[in-house]
Coordinates of all heavy atoms in Angstrom, one line a residue:
R13 N 12.3 -2.3 13.6 CA 10.9 -2.3 14.0 C 10.6 -1.3 15.1 O 11.5 -0.9 15.9 CB 10.6 -3.7 14.6 CG 10.8 -4.9 13.6 CD 10.4 -6.2 14.3 NE 10.8 -7.3 13.5 CZ 10.2 -7.8 12.4 NH1 9.1 -7.2 12.0 NH2 10.7 -8.8 11.7
G14 N 9.4 -0.8 15.1 CA 8.8 0.0 16.2 C 9.3 1.4 16.2 O 9.4 2.0 17.3
L15 N 9.6 2.0 15.1 CA 9.9 3.5 15.1 C 8.6 4.3 15.3 O 7.6 4.1 14.6 CB 10.5 3.9 13.8 CG 11.9 3.3 13.4 CD1 12.4 3.9 12.1 CD2 12.9 3.5 14.5
V16 N 8.6 5.2 16.3 CA 7.5 6.1 16.5 C 7.5 7.1 15.4 O 8.5 7.8 15.2 CB 7.5 6.7 17.9 CG1 6.4 7.7 18.0 CG2 7.5 5.6 18.9
Y17 N 6.3 7.3 14.7 CA 6.3 8.1 13.5 C 5.6 9.5 13.7 O 5.6 10.3 12.8 CB 5.8 7.4 12.3 CG 4.3 7.0 12.4 CD1 3.3 7.9 12.3 CD2 4.0 5.6 12.4 CE1 2.0 7.5 12.3 CE2 2.7 5.2 12.4 CZ 1.7 6.1 12.4 OH 0.4 5.7 12.4
G18 N 5.0 9.7 14.9 CA 4.3 11.0 15.0 C 3.8 11.2 16.4 O 4.0 10.4 17.3
P19 N 3.1 12.3 16.6 CA 2.5 12.7 17.9 C 1.6 11.6 18.5 O 1.4 11.5 19.7 CB 1.8 14.0 17.6 CG 2.4 14.5 16.4 CD 2.8 13.4 15.6
S20 N 1.0 10.8 17.6 CA 0.0 9.8 18.1 C 0.8 8.7 18.9 O 0.1 7.9 19.6 CB -0.7 9.2 16.9 OG 0.2 8.5 16.1
G21 N 2.1 8.6 18.7 CA 2.8 7.5 19.3 C 2.8 6.2 18.5 O 3.3 5.2 19.0
K22 N 2.1 6.2 17.4 CA 2.0 5.0 16.5 C 3.4 4.6 16.0 O 4.3 5.5 15.8 CB 1.0 5.2 15.4 CG -0.4 5.2 15.9 CD -0.8 3.9 16.4 CE -2.2 3.9 17.1 NZ -2.4 2.7 17.8
Q23 N 3.5 3.3 15.7 CA 4.8 2.8 15.3 C 4.8 2.3 13.8 O 3.8 1.9 13.3 CB 5.3 1.7 16.2 CG 5.4 2.1 17.6 CD 5.8 1.0 18.5 OE1 5.9 -0.2 18.2 NE2 6.2 1.3 19.8
L24 N 6.0 2.3 13.2 CA 6.1 1.6 11.9 C 7.4 0.8 11.9 O 8.3 0.9 12.7 CB 6.2 2.7 10.8 CG 7.2 3.8 10.7 CD1 8.6 3.3 10.3 CD2 6.8 4.9 9.7
D25 N 7.4 -0.1 10.9 CA 8.6 -1.0 10.7 C 9.2 -0.6 9.3 O 8.6 -0.2 8.4 CB 8.2 -2.4 10.6 CG 7.6 -2.9 12.0 OD1 7.9 -2.3 13.0 OD2 6.8 -3.9 12.0
V26 N 10.5 -0.8 9.3 CA 11.3 -0.4 8.1 C 12.0 -1.7 7.6 O 12.6 -2.5 8.3 CB 12.4 0.6 8.4 CG1 13.3 0.9 7.2 CG2 11.9 1.8 9.1
Y27 N 11.8 -2.0 6.3 CA 12.4 -3.1 5.6 C 13.3 -2.5 4.5 O 12.9 -1.7 3.7 CB 11.4 -4.0 5.0 CG 10.4 -4.6 6.0 CD1 9.3 -3.8 6.4 CD2 10.5 -5.8 6.5 CE1 8.4 -4.3 7.3 CE2 9.6 -6.4 7.4 CZ 8.5 -5.6 7.8 OH 7.6 -6.1 8.7
R28 N 14.6 -2.9 4.6 CA 15.5 -2.4 3.6 C 16.5 -3.5 3.1 O 16.8 -4.4 3.9 CB 16.3 -1.2 4.1 CG 17.3 -1.5 5.3 CD 18.2 -0.4 5.6 NE 17.6 0.7 6.2 CZ 17.4 0.8 7.5 NH1 17.7 -0.2 8.4 NH2 16.9 1.9 8.1
P29 N 16.9 -3.4 1.9 CA 17.9 -4.4 1.4 C 19.3 -4.0 2.0 O 19.7 -2.9 2.0 CB 17.9 -4.2 -0.1 CG 17.4 -2.8 -0.3 CD 16.5 -2.5 0.8
A30 N 20.0 -5.0 2.5 CA 21.3 -4.8 3.0 C 22.3 -4.4 1.9 O 22.2 -5.0 0.8 CB 21.8 -6.0 3.8
E31 N 23.2 -3.5 2.1 CA 24.2 -3.1 1.2 C 23.7 -2.7 -0.2 O 24.4 -2.9 -1.2 CB 25.2 -4.3 1.0 CG 25.9 -4.8 2.3 CD 26.7 -6.0 2.1 OE1 26.9 -6.5 1.0 OE2 27.3 -6.4 3.1
A32 N 22.5 -2.1 -0.2 CA 22.0 -1.6 -1.4 C 22.4 -0.2 -1.7 O 22.7 0.6 -0.7 CB 20.5 -1.7 -1.4
P33 N 22.5 0.2 -2.9 CA 22.9 1.7 -3.2 C 21.8 2.5 -2.5 O 20.6 2.2 -2.5 CB 22.8 1.7 -4.7 CG 23.0 0.3 -5.2 CD 22.4 -0.5 -4.1
R34 N 22.2 3.7 -2.0 CA 21.3 4.6 -1.4 C 21.3 5.9 -2.2 O 22.3 6.3 -2.7 CB 21.7 4.8 0.1 CG 21.6 3.5 0.9 CD 21.7 3.8 2.3 NE 21.6 2.5 3.1 CZ 21.3 2.4 4.4 NH1 21.2 3.5 5.1 NH2 21.3 1.3 5.0
P35 N 20.2 6.6 -2.3 CA 18.9 6.2 -1.7 C 18.2 5.1 -2.5 O 18.2 5.1 -3.7 CB 18.1 7.5 -1.8 CG 18.6 8.3 -3.0 CD 20.1 7.9 -3.0
A36 N 17.6 4.2 -1.7 CA 16.9 3.1 -2.4 C 15.5 3.6 -2.8 O 14.9 4.4 -2.1 CB 16.7 1.9 -1.4
P37 N 14.9 3.1 -3.9 CA 13.5 3.4 -4.2 C 12.7 3.1 -3.0 O 12.9 2.0 -2.4 CB 13.2 2.6 -5.4 CG 14.6 2.3 -6.0 CD 15.5 2.2 -4.8
T38 N 11.7 3.9 -2.7 CA 11.0 3.8 -1.4 C 9.5 3.6 -1.6 O 8.9 4.2 -2.6 CB 11.3 5.1 -0.6 OG1 12.7 5.2 -0.4 CG2 10.6 5.1 0.7
V39 N 8.9 2.9 -0.7 CA 7.4 2.6 -0.7 C 6.9 2.8 0.7 O 7.5 2.3 1.7 CB 7.1 1.2 -1.2 CG1 5.6 0.9 -1.1 CG2 7.6 0.9 -2.6
L40 N 5.9 3.6 0.8 CA 5.1 3.7 2.1 C 3.9 2.8 1.9 O 3.1 3.1 1.0 CB 4.7 5.1 2.4 CG 3.8 5.3 3.6 CD1 4.5 4.8 4.9 CD2 3.4 6.8 3.8
L41 N 3.7 1.8 2.7 CA 2.7 0.7 2.5 C 1.7 0.7 3.6 O 2.1 0.4 4.8 CB 3.4 -0.6 2.3 CG 2.6 -1.9 2.1 CD1 1.7 -1.8 0.9 CD2 3.5 -3.1 2.0
W42 N 0.5 1.0 3.3 CA -0.6 1.0 4.4 C -1.4 -0.3 4.4 O -1.8 -0.8 3.4 CB -1.5 2.2 4.1 CG -0.9 3.5 4.4 CD1 0.1 3.8 5.3 CD2 -1.3 4.8 3.8 NE1 0.3 5.2 5.3 CE2 -0.5 5.8 4.4 CE3 -2.2 5.2 2.9 CZ2 -0.6 7.1 4.1 CZ3 -2.4 6.5 2.6 CH2 -1.5 7.5 3.2
H43 N -1.6 -0.8 5.7 CA -2.4 -2.0 5.8 C -3.9 -1.6 5.7 O -4.3 -0.5 5.4 CB -2.1 -2.7 7.1 CG -2.4 -1.9 8.4 ND1 -3.7 -1.7 8.8 CD2 -1.6 -1.4 9.3 CE1 -3.7 -1.0 9.9 NE2 -2.4 -0.8 10.3
G44 N -4.7 -2.7 5.9 CA -6.2 -2.5 5.8 C -6.9 -2.1 7.0 O -6.3 -1.5 7.9
I45 N -8.2 -2.4 7.1 CA -9.0 -1.9 8.1 C -8.8 -2.4 9.5 O -9.2 -1.8 10.5 CB -10.5 -2.1 7.7 CG1 -11.4 -1.1 8.4 CG2 -10.9 -3.6 8.0 CD1 -12.8 -1.1 7.8
G46 N -8.1 -3.6 9.7 CA -7.8 -4.1 11.0 C -6.9 -3.1 11.7 O -5.8 -2.8 11.2
P47 N -7.2 -2.7 12.9 CA -6.4 -1.8 13.7 C -5.0 -2.3 14.0 O -4.8 -3.4 14.4 CB -7.2 -1.5 14.9 CG -8.6 -1.9 14.6 CD -8.5 -3.0 13.7
D48 N -4.0 -1.5 13.7 CA -2.6 -1.7 14.1 C -2.2 -3.1 13.6 O -1.8 -4.0 14.4 CB -2.4 -1.7 15.6 CG -2.6 -0.2 16.1 OD1 -2.5 0.7 15.3 OD2 -2.8 -0.1 17.4
E49 N -2.2 -3.3 12.3 CA -1.9 -4.6 11.7 C -0.7 -4.5 10.8 O -0.6 -5.1 9.7 CB -3.1 -5.2 11.0 CG -4.1 -5.7 11.9 CD -5.1 -6.6 11.2 OE1 -5.2 -6.6 10.0 OE2 -5.9 -7.4 11.9
R50 N 0.3 -3.7 11.2 CA 1.5 -3.6 10.3 C 2.2 -4.9 10.1 O 2.8 -5.2 9.0 CB 2.4 -2.5 10.8 CG 3.2 -2.9 12.0 CD 4.1 -1.7 12.5 NE 5.1 -2.0 13.5 CZ 4.9 -2.0 14.8 NH1 3.7 -1.7 15.3 NH2 5.9 -2.3 15.6
D51 N 2.1 -5.8 11.1 CA 2.8 -7.1 11.0 C 2.2 -8.0 9.9 O 2.9 -8.8 9.3 CB 2.7 -7.8 12.3 CG 1.2 -8.1 12.7 OD1 0.5 -7.1 13.0 OD2 0.8 -9.2 12.8
V52 N 0.9 -7.7 9.5 CA 0.3 -8.5 8.5 C 1.0 -8.3 7.1 O 1.0 -9.2 6.3 CB -1.2 -8.1 8.4 CG1 -1.8 -8.6 7.1 CG2 -2.0 -8.6 9.6
L53 N 1.6 -7.2 6.9 CA 2.3 -6.9 5.7 C 3.7 -7.3 5.6 O 4.4 -7.0 4.6 CB 2.1 -5.4 5.4 CG 0.7 -4.9 5.0 CD1 0.7 -3.4 4.9 CD2 0.2 -5.6 3.7
E54 N 4.2 -7.9 6.7 CA 5.6 -8.3 6.7 C 6.1 -9.2 5.6 O 7.1 -9.0 4.9 CB 6.0 -9.0 8.1 CG 7.5 -9.3 8.1 CD 7.9 -9.8 9.5 OE1 7.1 -9.8 10.4 OE2 9.1 -10.1 9.6
P55 N 5.3 -10.2 5.2 CA 5.7 -11.1 4.1 C 5.9 -10.3 2.8 O 6.9 -10.4 2.1 CB 4.6 -12.1 4.0 CG 4.0 -12.2 5.3 CD 4.1 -10.8 5.8
L56 N 5.0 -9.4 2.5 CA 5.1 -8.6 1.3 C 6.2 -7.6 1.4 O 6.9 -7.4 0.4 CB 3.7 -7.9 1.0 CG 3.7 -7.0 -0.2 CD1 4.1 -7.7 -1.5 CD2 2.4 -6.3 -0.3
A57 N 6.3 -6.9 2.5 CA 7.3 -5.9 2.7 C 8.7 -6.5 2.6 O 9.6 -5.9 1.9 CB 7.1 -5.2 4.0

Side-chain angles (χ1 to χ4, degrees):
R13 303 182 191 277
L15 294 183
V16 175
Y17 64 71
S20 66
K22 289 294 172 193
Q23 299 178 352
L24 60 73
D25 296 336
V26 181
Y27 301 81
R28 66 168 72 84
E31 302 177 0
R34 298 191 178 194
T38 301
V39 177
L40 176 61
L41 179 59
W42 285 335
H43 66 70
I45 203 167
D48 293 343
E49 286 194 343
R50 72 183 192 273
D51 59 297
V52 165
L53 291 172
E54 180 170 1
L56 175 59

